[in-house]
């Protein structure tokens, strides 16, 4: 697990943008796992800028979103379909046929989840999975107590998640969807690389439990401790409850020095 601490949200967004660009230049048909929520918006803005200003090409990229609410149509202003269209898909040249978001209106949800997993397998798996983290330690909508081996399925949202999400539904808890389709922790762990982003004090405890706590289904993000290539890219506030901040910073400085020397 590599922990990279940057000064601010802008800095993590820029660094995440650089990482995605590097992966995309290395593999133009990159299979990219995507997250929604407030955290990756800065990253998506960076990618849109790189596309417009440098011609970063998304024409061969294939995307899979982590999750989608059940019970609202894809056209709903707060659906993750609408989110992705608004922040990324309508602004870069990724073909719509290459994008995948769980279908919240499908009749047979169980079959759909199997199909989604199969689509991921058929393109050879996810190369780089972008993740946010919930204040309760969830990744995707794998709420505390989710099996660390879980696959794409329906989950009921935890009360703490519902509370946070009321911000997107005009402050009205009753209108927040209570269920979602989400990739499982096991699905996420099969991505070749994971990049988890977090910003702000409200994420500090979840980050400390994810990085330095025990690996437990109580904190689904802690499964990333077992991932061979997981990067935790956070700002100072999100890092504020970590015990080994100095070591992570020192490790990152040494890595940069090594990279500069080998140029
Ligand atoms: C969304 C997702 C969630 C969010 C998490 C953090 O696709 O997978 O796990 O990443 O709830 O959300 P924000 O970034 O809004 O704090």
């Amino acid at each position: 697990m590599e922990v990279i601490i940057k000064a601010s949200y802008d800095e993590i967004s820029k660094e995440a943008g650089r990482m995605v660009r590097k992966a995309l230049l290395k593999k133009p048909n990159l299979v990219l796992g995507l997250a929604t929520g407030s955290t990756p918006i800065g990253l998506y803005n960076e990618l849109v800028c790189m596309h417009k200003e440098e011609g970063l090409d998304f024409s061969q990229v294939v995307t899979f979103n982590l999750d989608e609410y059940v019970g609202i149509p894809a056209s709903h202003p707060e659906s993750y379909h609408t989110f992705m269209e608004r922040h990324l898909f309508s602004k870069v040249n990724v073909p719509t046929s290459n994008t995948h978001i769980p279908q919240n209106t499908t009749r047979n949800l169980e079959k759909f989840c199997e199909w989604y997993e199969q689509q991921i397998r058929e393109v050879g798996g996810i190369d780089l999975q972008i993740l946010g983290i919930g204040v309760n330690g969830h990744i995707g909508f794998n709420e505390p107590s989710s099996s660390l081996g879980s696959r794409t399925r329906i989950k009921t949202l935890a009360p703490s998640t519902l509370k946070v999400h009321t911000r997107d539904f005009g402050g009205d808890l009753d209108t927040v969807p209570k269920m979602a389709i989400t990739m499982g922790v096991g699905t996420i762990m099969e991505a070749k690389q994971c990049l988890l982003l977090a910003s702000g004090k409200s994420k500090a405890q979840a980050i400390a439990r994810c990085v330095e706590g025990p690996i437990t289904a109580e904190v689904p993000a802690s499964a990333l401790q077992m991932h061979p290539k997981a990067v935790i890219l956070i700002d100072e506030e999100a890092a504020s409850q970590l015990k080994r901040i100095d070591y992570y910073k020192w490790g990152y400085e040494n890595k940069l020095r090594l990279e500069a020397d080998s140029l």
Side-chain angles (χ1 to χ4, degrees):
M1 208 174 212
E2 184 184 10
V3 180
I4 302 177
I5 302 168
K6 295 277 172 183
S8 64
Y9 175 71
D10 279 359
E11 289 284 308
I12 62 172
S13 302
K14 283 197 168 62
E15 182 59 27
R18 282 193 285 270
M19 288 180 181
V20 175
R21 172 173 53 193
K22 193 171 164 196
L24 191 44
L25 293 178
K26 201 165 157 199
K27 185 176 185 244
N29 60 346
L30 191 73
V31 182
L32 199 48
L34 298 173
T36 57
S38 55
T39 312
I41 293 177
L43 161 63
Y44 298 151
N45 290 341
E46 288 293 320
L47 296 178
V48 170
C49 265
M50 289 172 185
H51 171 66
K52 294 210 164 116
E53 288 166 16
E54 307 163 17
L56 190 66
D57 182 22
F58 290 80
S59 63
Q60 296 178 61
V61 169
V62 177
T63 68
F64 286 92
N65 266 77
L66 281 168
D67 43 23
E68 176 59 286
Y69 294 118
V70 171
I72 56 171
S75 59
H76 189 285
E78 295 305 334
S79 78
Y80 291 167
H81 282 74
T82 304
F83 175 100
M84 289 314 303
E85 206 50 35
R86 188 187 303 141
H87 293 290
L88 190 66
F89 295 162
S90 66
K91 297 177 176 171
V92 296
N93 63 333
V94 60
T96 305
S97 54
N98 285 11
T99 66
H100 304 81
I101 304 179
Q103 280 295 337
N104 49 17
T105 46
T106 184
R107 281 215 192 91
N108 190 337
L109 290 169
E110 211 171 298
K111 266 238 136 40
F112 174 81
C113 293
E114 277 168 30
W115 178 86
Y116 203 67
E117 292 265 338
Q118 193 190 324
Q119 296 306 297
I120 296 174
R121 276 195 299 274
E122 275 179 16
V123 294
I126 292 172
D127 293 309
L128 174 59
Q129 176 66 56
I130 307 298
L131 297 165
I133 185 168
V135 289
N136 62 5
H138 74 207
I139 45 175
F141 274 130
N142 296 287
E143 302 288 23
S145 82
S146 289
S147 158
L148 300 185
S150 52
R151 313 300 310 187
T152 301
R153 69 210 184 293
I154 313 295
K155 277 299 286 184
T156 297
L157 275 50
S160 56
T161 302
L162 290 172
K163 203 170 147 204
V164 171
H165 286 230
T166 51
R167 79 182 165 201
D168 302 327
F169 288 82
D172 181 4
L173 185 63
D174 289 345
T175 60
V176 185
K178 309 292 180 290
M179 298 181 101
I181 301 179
T182 181
M183 280 186 205
V185 180
T187 320
I188 293 168
M189 290 291 284
E190 280 174 10
K192 291 167 193 110
Q193 186 176 7
C194 288
L195 173 59
L196 185 146
L197 310 175
S199 163
K201 271 219 150 36
S202 67
K203 298 293 173 71
Q205 192 189 24
I207 286 295
R209 296 174 80 199
C210 159
V211 175
E212 295 176 341
I215 299 171
T216 166
E218 272 307 293
V219 184
S222 66
L224 293 171
Q225 291 177 30
M226 297 287 290
H227 195 285
K229 231 176 157 196
V231 176
I232 310 296
L233 177 54
I234 52 183
D235 64 13
E236 294 276 0
E237 286 191 348
S240 59
Q241 288 188 32
L242 288 170
K243 288 191 222 109
R244 280 178 284 277
I245 294 184
D246 290 345
Y247 174 71
Y248 304 134
K249 288 188 175 175
W250 187 60
Y252 184 57
E253 279 164 26
N254 277 306
K255 181 186 152 188
L256 292 182
R257 213 169 293 132
L258 193 69
E259 280 173 3
D261 286 352
S262 60
L263 282 179

